[in-house]
Amino acid sequence: MSRHKARHEGAPGAGEVSARAVALTEALDIGGHRLEPASSRRGRELAGRVTDRMRLSGEHTVVALAGATGSGKSSLFNALTRLDIAAVGARRPTTSAAAACVYGAENAGPLLEWLGVPAQHRVSQESALDSGDDRLQGLVLLDLPDHDSTELSHRLEVDRLVELVDLFVWVTDPQKYADAALHRRYLSKLAGHDAVTVVVLNHADRLSPEALETCRRDLERLVAADGLREVEVMTTSATRGDGVPGLREELATAVARRNAWSQRLSADLDTVAEELTKEVGEPHRPASALLEGSGLTPALESAAGVPRVVSAVGQAYQRDAVGAAGWPVTRWTRRLRPDPLRRLHLRPAVEGGSKRGADADAANNALQLDADLARSSLSRPTPGQRAAVELALRRVGDQAAQGLPARWATAARAAAEPSPADLSDAVDQAIVSADLGLTRPRWWMVLAAVQLVLLLAAIAGLVWLVVLAVTAWLKLPEPGTPYLGAIPVPTLMLIGGLVIGILIGLVVRWVAPAAGRRRGARVSKRLSKAVQAVAEQRVVAPAEQVLADHRATLDALQRARS
């Protein structure tokens, strides 16, 4: 059994070929513009050919005889079919369009239409004088134009049909078997198609047996160098009939197995998938998280004014603490200083500045603005801050692109560099919608109640003392005045209410800055997480999606290969 016959065994089935074509299409869809355009186009064309060939007759095997001018290709075609169908000429190209001899024309019409063989160039073996060989039933034998024709249309026709046929028979002769046009343009591009390739050294009658064997071995060496290491070179003589029965037997074996079409498509899928895999490269995962070491989050915080927000939160805490728990007599002075958060549009204005209690609490519980509508009044980033953000974005992009081929690396870098305006807006919205922790602490409410009691006590003591003074001035009977030790109760109420209230107010003013700094630290962590979330969503996620697409493309290409 020849090497070529042995390779007919274990051919892929229609289901496998179809699934691999689907996987190839999936890889092309996922890879998209990140794949080389030429390779992507070839992949799309192949997927279309697989679909077309599978809906056509699987009972027919399309075999193409291809060769150079003077190789005896058309004479060999006539010898194989035992009919005088193809025009023969030795000095110039004679075959202008493919001729087809069909063994079993039933259901072959759509296939021949797909091949583009004109009706006048089709011959049915059953209609010819020779009844034909039953073992060739299902064979569609094509005589292609000369691949080295001086006519461009002839060469283009060969190139077109080479992409469509199921099995190749490349016919050459002792003078042209080393021709670069054959090896570089065709055979080398069919590397991996050993199972559907036959190479024939024709005009065997022109050489002695020793010279013929030398040529055959040299041609076999050249064919192996083209990547067709499992192809056996056959020798024929169309004029004497040498080797023609053996070639006919080879074709009969291929036809009988009814799998040349699936072997051809399988080899094509392997070739295209391997080509794309080389271009896509190896599976790539960054050595570390994309944000790690990039400095993007701190750069975005600085550019967005997070330090200013944190400072404003601390100042606002101190101002609000004095306003809530400070000495009521001097509490109004806080209105002389503007609210730092309100100036940044991070706290809504409260109508009715004199409102207290429940109204103030309600205002403090509605401090955050609608994130879809509001913007802060933070200053725009400086050129230095913008440059720091751009540098950090490039670091993320370079980290994502490391190890990727050029087109994928470009896509990863582009994904990691969103529009500056969009990124700035997203960070600003994150700051506006973040929880700045402005709800009043309970100890403010307690001290506010104590301050109110102390103020009322001081007022009551003052009124009491005034009443006693007026009574004494009018020389009216003095009412009894209770004492606490040696100190009259009214005096104790007045002095105690004022002194304790002032002391509490001073303690609040002393404690508020430290508490404000602690609140600012907590808010700083929240804002940092919010900004990092924006960086993850707007920068890291798109870049990681490119990497995920890269891995998915490779996985689909792996499934497209046999």
Side-chain angles (χ1 to χ4, degrees), residues 480-500:
T481 303
Y483 281 77
L484 186 61
I487 303 175
V489 170
T491 303
L492 185 61
M493 292 173 61
L494 174 61
I495 296 175
L498 293 177
V499 171
I500 296 175

Side-chain angles (χ1 to χ4, degrees), residues 34 404 408-409 411-413 415 541-551:
R34 294 160 295 198
L404 291 176
W408 285 91
R413 291 190 181 95
E544 288 184 338
Q545 184 59 53
V546 173
L547 300 183
D549 288 348
H550 182 260
R551 293 189 294 270

Side-chain angles (χ1 to χ4, degrees), residues 207-216:
L207 297 176
S208 65
E210 295 78 9
L212 178 62
E213 179 61 18
T214 300
C215 285
R216 191 195 69 78

Side-chain angles (χ1 to χ4, degrees), residues 121-164:
H121 288 193
R122 306 175 192 173
V123 174
S124 174
Q125 181 68 313
E126 286 84 353
S127 66
L129 295 177
D130 189 347
S131 61
D133 189 342
D134 291 341
R135 299 182 61 213
L136 295 178
Q137 190 74 9
L139 171 65
V140 177
L141 186 63
L142 301 181
D143 179 25
L144 304 189
D146 301 328
H147 67 71
D148 63 347
S149 172
T150 56
E151 293 289 338
L152 176 61
S153 60
H154 296 184
R155 300 196 300 272
L156 293 177
E157 179 70 357
V158 173
D159 293 344
R160 185 185 69 82
L161 287 171
V162 162
E163 297 293 330
L164 303 179

Side-chain angles (χ1 to χ4, degrees), residues 111-351:
L111 178 61
L112 292 169
E113 291 293 336
W114 179 66
L115 293 169
V117 178
Q120 63 272 24
H121 288 193
R122 306 175 192 173
V123 174
S124 174
Q125 181 68 313
E126 286 84 353
S127 66
L129 295 177
D130 189 347
S131 61
D133 189 342
D134 291 341
R135 299 182 61 213
L136 295 178
Q137 190 74 9
L139 171 65
V140 177
L141 186 63
L142 301 181
D143 179 25
L144 304 189
D146 301 328
H147 67 71
D148 63 347
S149 172
T150 56
E151 293 289 338
L152 176 61
S153 60
H154 296 184
R155 300 196 300 272
L156 293 177
E157 179 70 357
V158 173
D159 293 344
R160 185 185 69 82
L161 287 171
V162 162
E163 297 293 330
L164 303 179
V165 300
D166 302 330
L167 190 145
F168 311 96
V169 177
W170 295 96
V171 182
T172 185
D173 65 272
Q175 290 183 327
K176 293 186 176 182
Y177 73 85
D179 188 6
L182 171 64
H183 293 276
R184 294 180 184 176
R185 189 174 179 185
Y186 295 105
L187 294 184
S188 62
K189 293 182 179 180
L190 290 174
H193 289 68
D194 306 55
V196 291
T197 302
V198 178
V199 176
V200 174
L201 181 63
N202 197 26
H203 296 320
D205 56 303
R206 298 181 183 180
L207 297 176
S208 65
E210 295 78 9
L212 178 62
E213 179 61 18
T214 300
C215 285
R216 191 195 69 78
R217 289 182 178 177
D218 193 37
L219 176 56
E220 199 168 64
R221 176 187 61 81
L222 294 175
V223 170
D226 291 329
L228 297 167
R229 296 177 179 82
E230 299 298 324
V231 172
E232 184 176 5
V233 175
M234 305 180 68
T235 58
T236 62
S237 171
T239 55
R240 289 193 325 204
D242 298 351
V244 174
L247 180 56
R248 188 181 291 112
E249 177 67 22
E250 189 81 7
L251 299 183
T253 301
V255 169
R257 295 188 181 277
R258 300 287 192 267
N259 59 16
W261 68 269
S262 65
Q263 288 181 311
R264 164 66 200 274
L265 294 177
S266 177
D268 285 348
L269 287 167
D270 281 338
T271 299
V272 171
E274 183 176 354
E275 178 185 359
L276 286 167
T277 299
K278 289 180 180 179
E279 294 175 357
V280 174
E282 297 296 325
H284 172 67
R285 290 184 183 275
S288 59
L290 294 183
L291 283 183
E292 185 176 331
S294 68
L296 178 58
T297 300
L300 288 174
E301 290 177 14
S302 176
V306 168
R308 185 180 175 190
V309 173
V310 172
S311 176
V313 167
Q315 295 171 9
Y317 183 94
Q318 181 177 355
R319 178 179 181 276
D320 294 345
V322 172
W327 194 36
V329 177
T330 60
R331 193 180 296 174
W332 62 272
T333 59
R334 75 184 184 101
R335 298 177 187 170
L336 300 178
R337 291 181 299 170
D339 184 345
L341 290 177
R342 193 169 298 157
R343 293 179 64 183
L344 298 178
H345 284 183
L346 295 175
R347 170 150 60 184
V350 180
E351 296 180 0

